[in-house]
């Protein structure tokens, strides 16, 4: 069927997916580009409000507003463009990016347009970069409904406290996510209503002293662990490197996921084990992996390990050291992902240490080394035979300790340039791994190149190709 014959509702869905960003919002610039394709698309996009709900209000007095969709319009031209977009959005809730630095007169023109076309009660999300105009009573004085449908808010350090107080005055319990590049003390001073209702909070700046997050906050992102307590937090992300010794002083009873990096400047292990009784997901950055040997997490399902900006060789050596530690007890039940390429020895140690994991996800940057590592662990039974001989097992026979006992899926992320014929070559390699691991629970292998459809091979599919008799 020709695309011209598609029903308008189907074509609209396809075009909307084409302009959707990773955040899920429609790209306004991409929507404008669709207008120039043909009359049919222009008519459809112009009259479909969903294409126009992502609104950039960037209004500056000192310089022309520069947007990718318009060639440096004057302030009057920009207001015309903004008016047109808000008309097209109709009565839909909108997502707003706000950057304003104008005098009171121009702010009056802007807010007059906003009150008419898109009052605050239709704002679903708000990101504030700059908010600087003379009369901060203007927005609320002329519109009393306020931000009653606001669900998400992000403010940068250039946001004036007057605007924060205005928003804080009218938000409701619908606001669940707050992200701010401000100290907690300032947010606490200007936004008490916001803090009392949100469940997710991200702070981009360190506080002057330790603080206690509101008890309603269960998802917390901070630069450093500058807290008095964490007993109610379930999801914690620490964006800067820090000493793991700080972890000893907290009660981790309710923590379900932890994302953190350990500072090399404080690279020494804690003096005692740290218990995470409910932890399910753990993501560690850096190379000081020995700290994992001091973690106890009986409910752990997912473990992700990254080297950050450290050399791969250092990361491999540190991971080998941690996995070989006699008191290493972590054993995720579902997924392990290593975000840097391993050598054969360390991968061998890993599959022994994590014998209960069902899915292993590995990243490789060089084709030859990547295949040699996979083959050396999953296909080379001479190594397995030598190990088996030490245990009294017949040499050359498959050694079950070479594998994770519960491993069902192997996911290979291949980060080199895809070339013609590579898929057939890797299909043969994957088939060999599945053949050489018969008798184990390994059922499927997936290879993924950037920008290419993944290669997937299942053991049952492989068995269909084996001649009968």
């Amino acid at each position: 069927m020709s695309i011209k014959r598609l029903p308008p509702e189907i074509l609209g869905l396809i075009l909307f997916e084409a302009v959707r960003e990773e955040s899920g919002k429609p790209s306004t610039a991409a929507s404008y580009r669709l207008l120039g394709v043909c009359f049919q698309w222009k008519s459809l996009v112009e009259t479909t409000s969903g294409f126009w709900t992502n609104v950039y209000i960037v209004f500056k007095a000192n310089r022309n507003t520069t947007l990718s969709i318009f060639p440096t319009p004057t302030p009057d031209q920009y207001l015309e463009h903004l008016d047109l977009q808000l008309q097209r959005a109709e009565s839909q809730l909108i997502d707003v990016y706000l950057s304003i630095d104008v005098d009171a007169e121009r702010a009056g023109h802007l807010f007059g347009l906003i009150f008419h076309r898109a009052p605050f009660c239709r704002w679903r999300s708000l990101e504030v970069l700059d908010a600087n105009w003379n009369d901060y009573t203007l927005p609320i004085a002329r519109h009393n409904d306020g931000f009653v449908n606001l669900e998400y808010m992000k403010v940068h350090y250039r946001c004036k406290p007057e605007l924060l107080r205005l928003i804080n005055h009218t938000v409701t319990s619908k606001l669940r996510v707050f992200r701010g590049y401000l100290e907690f003390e300032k947010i606490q001073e200007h936004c008490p209503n916001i803090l009392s209702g949100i469940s997710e909070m991200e702070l981009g700046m360190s506080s002057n002293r330790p603080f206690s997050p509101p008890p309603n906050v269960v998802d917390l992102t901070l630069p450093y662990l500058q807290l008095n307590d964490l007993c109610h937090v379930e999801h914690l992300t620490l964006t800067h490197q820090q000493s793991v010794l700080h972890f000893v002083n907290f009660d981790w009873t309710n923590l379900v996921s932890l994302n953190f990096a350990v500072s090399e400047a404080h690279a020494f292990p804690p003096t005692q084990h740290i218990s995470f009784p409910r932890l399910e997901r753990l993501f560690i950055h850096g190379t000081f992996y020995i700290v994992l040997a001091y973690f106890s997490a009986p409910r752990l399902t997912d473990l992700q390990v990254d080297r950050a900006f450290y050399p791969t060789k250092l990361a491999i050596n540190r991971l080998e050291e941690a996995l070989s530690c006699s008191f290493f007890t972590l054993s995720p039940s579902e997924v392990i992902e290593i975000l840097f390429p391993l050598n054969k020895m360390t991968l061998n140690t890993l599959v022994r240490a994590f014998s209960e994991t069902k899915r292993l996800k590995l990243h490789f940057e060089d084709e030859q080394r990547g295949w040699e590592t996979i083959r050396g662990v999953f296909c080379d039974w001479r190594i397995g035979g030598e190990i088996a001989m030490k245990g009294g097992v017949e040499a050359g026979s498959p050694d079950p300790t070479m594998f994770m006992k519960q491993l069902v899926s192997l996911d290979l992320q291949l980060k080199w340039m895809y070339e013609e014929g590579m898929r057939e070559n890797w299909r043969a390699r994957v088939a060999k791994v599945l053949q050489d691991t018969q008798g184990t629970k390994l059922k499927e292998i997936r290879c993924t190149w950037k920008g290419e459809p993944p290669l997937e091979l299942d053991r049952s599919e492989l068995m269909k190709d084996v001649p009968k008799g």
Side-chain angles (χ1 to χ4, degrees):
M1 178 185 290
S2 170
I3 193 170
K4 293 183 179 180
R5 296 184 178 181
L6 287 174
E9 59 272 16
I10 301 300
L11 178 59
L13 291 174
I14 294 173
L15 295 181
F16 188 80
E17 286 301 315
V19 303
R20 188 196 295 269
E21 300 174 333
E22 289 186 8
S23 64
K25 303 174 185 177
S27 166
T28 305
S31 298
Y32 270 98
R33 286 195 291 269
L34 292 180
L35 299 180
V37 175
C38 65
F39 177 79
Q40 180 192 16
W41 287 23
K42 181 177 186 293
S43 177
L44 178 63
V45 173
E46 280 183 338
T47 57
T48 303
S49 57
F51 285 91
W52 307 104
T53 59
N54 198 14
V55 181
Y56 282 75
I57 302 177
V58 183
F59 204 44
K60 305 286 185 177
N62 298 332
R63 56 183 175 82
N64 287 334
T65 302
T66 302
L67 299 176
S68 59
I69 52 178
F70 304 122
T72 59
T74 65
D76 290 340
Q77 289 174 328
Y78 173 70
L79 289 178
E80 291 179 8
H81 289 305
L82 180 61
D83 186 23
L84 181 59
Q85 180 180 352
L86 294 178
Q87 287 184 60
R88 290 171 175 169
E90 298 178 348
S91 60
Q92 295 270 6
L93 295 179
I94 61 175
D95 303 294
V96 178
Y97 177 93
L98 191 65
S99 181
I100 303 175
D101 187 3
V102 293
D103 56 32
E105 181 181 358
R106 286 184 173 173
H109 295 157
L110 175 64
F111 283 109
L113 172 61
I114 291 173
F115 297 150
H116 178 58
R117 297 293 186 193
F120 293 150
C121 61
R122 283 181 44 212
W123 291 25
R124 174 176 50 199
S125 71
L126 171 61
E127 180 174 353
V128 183
L129 178 63
D130 293 297
N132 186 25
W133 61 92
N134 294 338
D135 187 3
Y136 281 90
T137 64
L138 179 65
I140 296 299
R142 294 186 54 187
H143 193 79
N144 295 320
D145 287 346
F147 298 88
V148 294
N149 284 304
L150 198 65
E151 301 172 3
Y152 172 95
M153 181 177 175
K154 181 177 181 179
V155 296
H156 295 261
Y157 64 91
R158 291 196 296 270
C159 179
K160 300 291 185 179
E162 292 87 349
L163 179 61
L164 292 178
R165 288 196 288 267
L166 291 177
I167 298 172
N168 177 74
H169 180 67
T170 60
V171 293
T172 69
S173 59
K174 290 185 179 181
L175 181 61
R176 308 304 295 166
V177 181
F178 179 86
R179 296 192 167 107
Y181 291 89
L182 305 167
E183 299 89 349
F184 180 77
E185 294 81 8
K186 289 186 178 180
I187 299 172
Q188 196 172 35
E189 177 185 356
H190 303 302
C191 310
N193 291 339
I194 291 175
L195 287 180
S196 66
I198 58 175
S199 60
E200 181 179 339
M201 181 171 69
E202 177 181 348
L203 301 182
M205 297 182 67
S206 302
S207 297
N208 296 324
R209 59 183 182 275
F211 65 93
S212 296
N216 45 284
V217 173
V218 297
D219 191 324
L220 184 61
T221 300
L222 300 170
Y224 300 100
L225 198 56
Q226 294 177 298
L227 298 171
N228 292 320
D229 65 80
L230 269 171
C231 56
H232 55 273
V233 175
E234 297 180 4
H235 310 279
L236 177 64
T237 298
L238 302 171
T239 58
H240 291 52
Q241 294 187 343
Q242 47 221 290
S243 171
V244 75
L245 294 182
H246 296 158
F247 285 44
V248 178
N249 303 321
F250 289 94
D251 177 6
W252 303 98
T253 302
N254 293 315
L255 197 69
V256 175
S257 67
L258 174 62
N259 186 330
F260 76 107
V262 180
S263 170
E264 291 292 312
H266 303 91
F268 44 87
T271 56
Q272 63 189 66
H273 275 73
I274 304 172
S275 177
F276 299 89
R278 292 186 56 204
L279 190 68
E280 297 176 2
R281 296 177 296 278
L282 179 60
F283 188 0
I284 181 172
H285 310 257
T287 59
F288 190 55
Y289 307 130
I290 192 64
V291 69
L292 296 176
Y294 292 85
F295 283 8
S296 172
R299 295 189 183 183
L300 190 65
T301 60
D302 298 10
L303 174 62
Q304 200 172 39
V305 182
D306 190 13
R307 64 181 176 86
F309 51 82
Y310 293 98
T312 300
K313 185 175 181 180
L314 175 63
I316 291 174
N317 293 338
R318 294 284 182 82
L319 184 59
E320 174 75 26
E321 177 187 3
L323 296 174
S324 302
C325 187
S326 60
F327 48 88
F328 189 96
T329 61
L330 288 182
S331 184
S333 60
E334 295 296 329
V335 183
I336 294 174
E337 180 173 11
I338 309 297
L339 289 161
F340 53 89
L342 298 179
N343 58 29
K344 182 169 63 176
M345 182 178 71
T346 304
L347 180 57
N348 212 344
T349 305
L350 183 141
V351 299
R352 293 171 181 275
F354 299 120
S355 61
E356 302 299 321
T357 305
K358 297 176 183 176
R359 181 183 172 198
L360 177 60
K361 190 171 183 179
L362 302 172
H363 293 243
F364 292 104
E365 299 174 353
D366 180 86
E367 182 176 13
Q368 182 177 355
R369 291 179 182 177
W371 169 238
E372 288 177 353
T373 299
I374 295 297
R375 182 182 61 185
V377 174
F378 292 97
C379 300
D380 195 345
W381 291 115
R382 291 173 297 176
I383 298 177
E386 293 170 3
I387 297 173
M389 282 293 291
K390 297 179 182 179
V393 183
E394 181 182 355
S397 64
D399 177 10
T401 64
M402 286 292 291
F403 295 97
M404 302 159 150
K405 299 173 188 176
Q406 306 299 328
L407 185 63
V408 174
S409 174
L410 182 60
D411 191 337
L412 306 177
Q413 300 291 312
L414 310 178
K415 297 186 176 181
W416 51 83
M417 184 68 68
Y418 180 83
E419 297 178 357
E420 186 177 355
M422 194 172 286
R423 180 176 296 272
E424 292 74 19
N425 187 23
W426 273 89
R427 190 183 191 282
R429 290 171 170 177
V430 166
K432 175 173 174 56
V433 173
L434 289 173
Q435 289 171 352
D436 286 6
T437 55
Q438 290 188 28
T440 71
K441 293 185 177 182
L442 183 61
K443 291 169 42 178
E444 60 184 13
I445 301 179
R446 176 187 178 101
C447 299
T448 304
W449 295 268
K450 185 176 181 180
E452 293 292 326
L455 165 66
E456 298 176 328
L457 190 59
D458 188 273
R459 188 181 296 279
S460 59
E461 180 184 349
L462 182 65
M463 295 305 294
K464 293 178 184 178
D465 299 335
V466 178
K468 295 184 178 180

